[in-house]
Amino acid sequence: MRKKGILGLLAVAATAVLLVGCGKSSSSSSKMTTITVGASAVPHAEILKHVQPQLKKEGVNLKIKVFQDYVLPNKALAAKELDANYFQHTPFLKNWNKENNGTLVSAGSVHLEPIGVYSKKVKSLKDLKKGATVLVSSNVADYGRVLTLFKDAGLITLKKGTDITSATFSDIKTNKRHLKFKHSYEAKLMPQFYKNNEGDAVVINANYAVQSGLNPSKDAIALEKSDSPYANIVAVRKGDQNKTAIKKLMKALRSKSTQEWIKKKYKGAILPVSDN
């Protein structure tokens, strides 16, 4: 009887330990929050991957979905296929909302990808000849950035009162060298145009430039300044910017360690924005 009693107690104790173990596992699992963030491959997905371990420690399971264009990420976010996306700047988001009756908002900015002008024919914008052709993507939200580069180089002037964040090529007042701005191409194709030596100059977004092996700070003949209003943001559906997981994501992306990592990895081609 005593032997059976001891064995019975051991069995009960073992069962209790097993149940406690299961309880801990279930509790630990329930504390994890999974979020899916859409991103361009470079540098956005790379930066997100960098903060994955930190977020996991804080109970956030970050999944990254890579997109190869600027069209689908906002559609996927609006359709609730994503919890956030990270690929665009505020003027782009505002333009998208306007054209699609959208209500997406910014959860905060992370870095600046200085847009640049590249050329195999001239070493400076001021070297462009009369009638030179400048190839630009069809991304309307970037037109103000492009115009600023040419205005700062003294090649064009803009109409009085022009809002640079919504400017288009129709806002050019004077163009003494009669530069031809052709802007009907997908942004991702611009590096290939440059490599094929098409046009006299090609405007390329930094993420596509870096992805194709270019270093904006070294290879561009003109580069956007660091005080540009075009910092890249994390976008979410309205109201979701207040969710705990999104706040943890932004804290990790804007942390001093992540900002320093961005500086070191991209060697000035991608500029962290930590003070906005």
Side-chain angles (χ1 to χ4, degrees):
M1 290 293 291
R2 181 177 292 178
K3 187 175 181 180
K4 288 183 179 179
I6 292 174
L7 289 175
L9 288 171
L10 289 173
V12 171
T15 302
V17 170
L18 181 61
L19 289 173
V20 170
C22 289
K24 285 183 179 179
S25 175
S26 175
S27 175
S28 175
S29 175
S30 65
K31 289 181 181 179
M32 289 295 291
T33 300
T34 298
I35 58 172
T36 301
V37 181
S40 296
V42 179
H44 308 78
E46 294 177 340
I47 297 173
L48 288 172
K49 189 173 182 180
H50 174 74
V51 302
Q52 270 182 322
Q54 179 182 339
L55 288 171
K56 190 172 184 180
K57 292 178 182 178
E58 297 179 14
V60 178
N61 177 31
L62 172 61
K63 291 187 176 181
I64 305 166
K65 184 174 181 180
V66 176
F67 289 84
Q68 299 299 332
D69 61 36
Y70 294 161
V71 178
L72 297 177
N74 278 338
K75 288 184 177 181
L77 179 58
K80 298 185 178 180
E81 296 170 11
L82 303 171
D83 296 291
N85 67 40
Y86 175 33
F87 78 100
Q88 64 193 316
H89 48 63
T90 297
F92 183 98
L93 178 62
K94 287 182 177 179
N95 187 65
W96 189 88
N97 278 334
K98 182 179 179 181
E99 292 185 350
N100 297 275
N101 294 317
T103 57
L104 303 182
V105 298
S106 169
S109 55
V110 182
H111 74 270
L112 173 69
E113 296 177 14
I115 201 167
V117 183
Y118 300 76
S119 177
K120 292 187 176 183
K121 298 178 180 178
V122 296
K123 294 183 178 181
S124 168
L125 286 184
K126 294 181 179 180
D127 294 333
L128 287 172
K129 298 179 180 179
K130 284 187 177 182
T133 298
V134 180
L135 304 183
V136 183
S137 82
S138 57
N139 183 14
V140 178
D142 280 337
Y143 291 172
R145 308 171 77 183
V146 179
L147 292 170
T148 297
L149 288 172
F150 284 84
K151 178 178 71 70
D152 290 349
L155 299 179
I156 64 170
T157 62
L158 300 177
K159 296 175 183 176
K160 187 177 181 180
T162 297
D163 177 359
I164 203 64
T165 62
S166 60
T168 67
F169 292 98
S170 63
D171 288 309
I172 295 176
K173 181 179 180 181
T174 62
N175 180 3
K176 294 181 179 180
R177 296 193 189 181
H178 305 289
L179 300 176
K180 299 174 182 176
F181 294 96
K182 294 187 176 182
H183 44 87
S184 59
Y185 315 99
E186 285 189 65
K188 64 183 179 181
L189 300 178
M190 307 314 288
Q192 193 59 50
F193 291 151
Y194 167 72
K195 290 180 179 180
N196 293 343
N197 202 21
E198 297 183 42
D200 295 291
V202 182
V203 180
I204 308 177
N205 289 85
N207 62 316
Y208 288 126
V210 173
Q211 200 169 334
S212 67
L214 294 169
N215 185 326
S217 62
K218 293 181 179 179
D219 300 321
I221 63 171
L223 195 63
E224 188 174 20
K225 296 178 182 178
S226 60
D227 60 355
S228 166
Y230 290 86
N232 276 218
I233 62 172
V234 171
V236 296
R237 290 182 294 279
K238 190 174 182 179
D240 286 358
Q241 69 270 32
N242 298 317
K243 288 186 174 180
T244 301
I246 297 299
K247 287 185 175 180
K248 288 182 177 180
L249 171 65
M250 295 311 303
K251 184 177 179 181
L253 289 172
R254 292 165 60 87
S255 69
K256 185 176 180 179
S257 61
T258 299
Q259 297 286 305
E260 289 299 324
W261 180 85
I262 291 174
K263 287 181 182 178
K264 184 176 180 180
K265 179 172 177 63
Y266 299 107
K267 300 176 182 178
I270 306 299
L271 306 174
V273 180
S274 58
D275 58 346
N276 48 65

